[in-house]
Amino acid sequence: MAADLFGPQPYMGLPLLTAAPLVASALLSFRASLLVVVLACAASVALDLHLDRPATALFVDLADVVITGAVALMVNRARSRQEYRLAQVRDVAEVAQRAVL
C-alpha cells in the first residue's frame, strides 16, 4: 500500500498486494488466509478510490486480487489435506513400528 501511496505516479504496488494472499496461504490456516484475501481486496479498492483511478482500473485490480486470492485458498486447502494425510500415514507407520518392536 505504501508503494501505491508514496511511489512515483506510473508505479503501482498491486503485484505486491496480490502476493499477500499467496504468502498467507502457505503459512496460515484457511480462515486466516481468507481474512488476508478479504483485507487485500478491501485495500485494493480503498487505494484505487483514494488515488482516483478510473472504475475500469478498480475492477481490474479487484479481479486480480480476487483471482489470486481464490488460487491461494485452493492451494491452502490442498496443503492442509496433504498435511492431514501425512499425519495419518505417520500414525500408521508408528503403530506398525511399535508392533514389530
Side-chain angles (χ1 to χ4, degrees):
M1 290 177 61
D4 268 338
L5 291 174
F6 303 115
Q9 187 59 18
Y11 177 75
M12 289 181 51
L14 184 68
L16 297 173
L17 190 60
T18 58
L22 291 172
V23 173
S25 72
L27 301 174
L28 303 174
S29 67
F30 184 81
R31 286 185 182 179
S33 297
L34 181 62
L35 179 64
V36 170
V37 170
V38 169
L39 290 174
C41 289
S44 173
V45 170
L47 280 172
D48 284 345
L49 290 175
H50 176 73
L51 297 173
D52 292 327
R53 292 195 176 128
T56 54
L58 185 143
F59 290 126
V60 169
D61 291 348
L62 182 60
D64 287 343
V65 175
V66 167
I67 291 168
T68 305
V71 170
L73 292 174
M74 287 188 287
V75 167
N76 181 282
R77 183 62 75 189
R79 181 187 57 83
S80 296
R81 277 192 231 132
Q82 187 68 21
E83 285 177 0
Y84 178 74
R85 288 182 191 140
L86 181 62
Q88 285 180 325
V89 169
R90 191 178 306 135
D91 290 344
V92 169
E94 185 179 326
V95 169
Q97 188 176 28
R98 285 186 185 158
V100 168
L101 292 175

